[in-house]
Amino acid sequence: MANQSIVTGFLLMGFSDYRDMQIVYFVIFLVIYLLSLIGNLLLGVAVILNRHLHAPMYFFLVNLSFSDICFISTTIPKAMAASLTNNKQISYAGCAAQVFSVFTCIGSELALLTVMAYDRYVAICHPLQYMLVMNWSACLQMATASWIITLIHALMHTILIFRLNFCKSNRIEQFFCDVPHLLMISCTNGSISQILILVIGITVDSLCSGFIFISYGYIFSTVLKIPSIQGRYKAFSTCTPHLAVFSLFLTSAIFAYMRPQSLSFHTLDLLSAFLYTVLPPILNPLIYSFRNKDIQKAVWKMLQK
């Protein structure tokens, strides 16, 4: 240890060392980033400017859009800059900021998707009590609690990770500062951080996924009792995309953070990271919003103006 130099910065190795492929990846990342940014901004602005969309469901959608913008802005711009300039360096502070932001966004996505499942449960299973249960005070409290808890959770994990020393290598085989790869290059014992990530991850994921699947169990049992085929189709078309996005996000994040290091392969790591950091910010506006006729009308009206 005494003869090893302490790492003060990192190299994000990303997808390729070949210049032509780096340009291709830059273009792909740019298109993905712009699509996500435009989709989430259009959704947020449309809801804010249209008073008839000022309802609990759309309030949580705006929060989710804000989280998605932060999420994709945490990883993609740095990856684009590295591909365009072939400069793969990221400072120690910049890496810590990325880890904090990624944990915050993962937590907020999970919390907001859970709250949105509860919103759908109350709307479908207890429609007469919806406005009483999902009043603005309750919505603000749930959204605020989601953000505060995820910020505390992200800060705790960031402190635990960057209390470690990094002296084995400064190469991170990923396009952003990913915690599993940081633990791999740490030269101090990171078992406490790994155990905490595992325990907290299992606890939080189990609670959120359990709550969501129980909520949807009640939702689907209620929907099946609707006599109208059109009514059943409308309810299913509203709920199943939410469940699909949540399942994809949760499984890819669990695989990235909780699998043993023996199952770590470069291509597999990149794919799992892409699935939980890049795909949700693109899919969420399409699945939750632009399939919604009220959102479509609001966006079209706004674009016409």
Side-chain angles (χ1 to χ4, degrees):
M1 285 289 291
N3 294 327
Q4 291 177 323
S5 58
I6 301 299
V7 170
T8 57
F10 301 94
L11 294 176
L12 301 176
M13 301 313 295
F15 289 92
S16 176
D17 291 326
Y18 297 103
R19 188 61 188 154
D20 292 342
M21 290 304 298
Q22 287 176 342
I23 299 300
V24 171
Y25 287 129
F26 169 78
V27 173
I28 293 172
F29 277 138
L30 180 62
V31 171
I32 289 172
Y33 185 62
L34 289 177
L35 287 175
S36 176
L37 210 61
I38 291 169
N40 284 290
L41 284 173
L42 280 176
L43 167 62
V45 174
V47 172
I48 291 170
L49 294 181
N50 287 269
R51 294 184 62 86
H52 69 280
L53 294 180
H54 291 182
M57 179 178 71
Y58 299 111
F59 169 73
F60 293 122
L61 277 175
V62 171
N63 275 269
L64 188 64
S65 292
F66 176 73
S67 176
D68 286 335
I69 291 172
C70 295
F71 205 177
I72 202 163
S73 297
T74 297
T75 56
I76 292 296
K78 181 60 182 176
M80 287 194 300
S83 297
L84 186 63
T85 64
N86 201 26
N87 180 7
K88 300 179 180 181
Q89 293 183 347
I90 184 171
S91 66
Y92 193 88
C95 190
Q98 264 199 345
V99 169
F100 175 76
S101 299
V102 167
F103 267 116
T104 300
C105 294
I106 289 174
S108 64
E109 290 266 335
L110 187 58
L112 290 169
L113 290 173
T114 304
V115 171
M116 289 167 66
Y118 178 69
D119 173 75
R120 293 298 83 205
Y121 162 74
V122 177
I124 293 174
C125 298
H126 304 283
L128 299 178
Q129 301 176 7
Y130 181 73
M131 294 310 299
L132 180 64
V133 175
M134 300 300 295
N135 57 72
W136 281 113
S137 176
C139 292
L140 288 171
Q141 287 175 7
M142 284 188 283
T144 303
S146 298
W147 284 105
I148 291 175
I149 291 170
T150 54
L151 286 170
I152 294 171
H153 170 255
L155 182 61
M156 181 187 68
H157 277 301
T158 305
I159 291 172
L160 283 172
I161 295 298
F162 286 92
R163 286 179 68 246
L164 305 175
N165 290 324
F166 302 96
C167 54
K168 291 180 181 178
S169 170
N170 67 340
R171 291 166 58 94
I172 299 175
E173 300 295 332
Q174 192 57 273
F175 62 94
F176 66 99
C177 284
D178 199 16
V179 168
H181 289 83
L182 286 169
L183 292 173
M184 287 180 190
I185 63 173
S186 170
C187 57
T188 53
N189 189 358
S191 58
I192 295 176
S193 298
Q194 288 178 313
I195 291 170
L196 275 174
I197 289 173
L198 189 64
V199 171
I200 294 174
I202 291 174
T203 304
V204 173
D205 292 345
S206 300
L207 288 173
C208 291
S209 59
F211 186 87
I212 287 176
F213 286 119
I214 290 171
S215 298
Y216 275 101
Y218 283 111
I219 288 171
F220 290 145
S221 65
T222 303
V223 168
L224 290 173
K225 296 175 184 177
I226 298 175
S228 167
I229 296 176
Q230 186 177 2
R232 287 201 299 268
Y233 173 77
K234 184 178 179 181
F236 275 122
S237 65
T238 303
C239 297
T240 49
H242 175 227
L243 198 58
V245 171
F246 171 77
S247 300
L248 177 64
F249 171 73
L250 187 64
T251 52
S252 57
I254 287 174
F255 180 79
Y257 281 88
M258 297 185 188
R259 74 185 188 279
Q261 291 186 1
S262 59
L263 295 178
S264 179
F265 304 101
H266 184 62
T267 304
L268 199 60
D269 292 348
L270 290 173
L271 179 61
S272 63
F274 182 86
L275 287 176
Y276 80 86
T277 61
V278 177
L279 209 56
I282 299 172
L283 291 180
N284 285 340
L286 295 174
I287 289 178
Y288 290 123
S289 309
F290 297 117
R291 295 176 71 256
N292 184 302
K293 290 183 179 180
D294 293 331
I295 292 287
Q296 289 176 2
K297 291 177 182 178
V299 170
W300 180 244
K301 183 179 179 181
M302 182 179 64
L303 292 176
Q304 284 180 322
K305 288 184 179 180

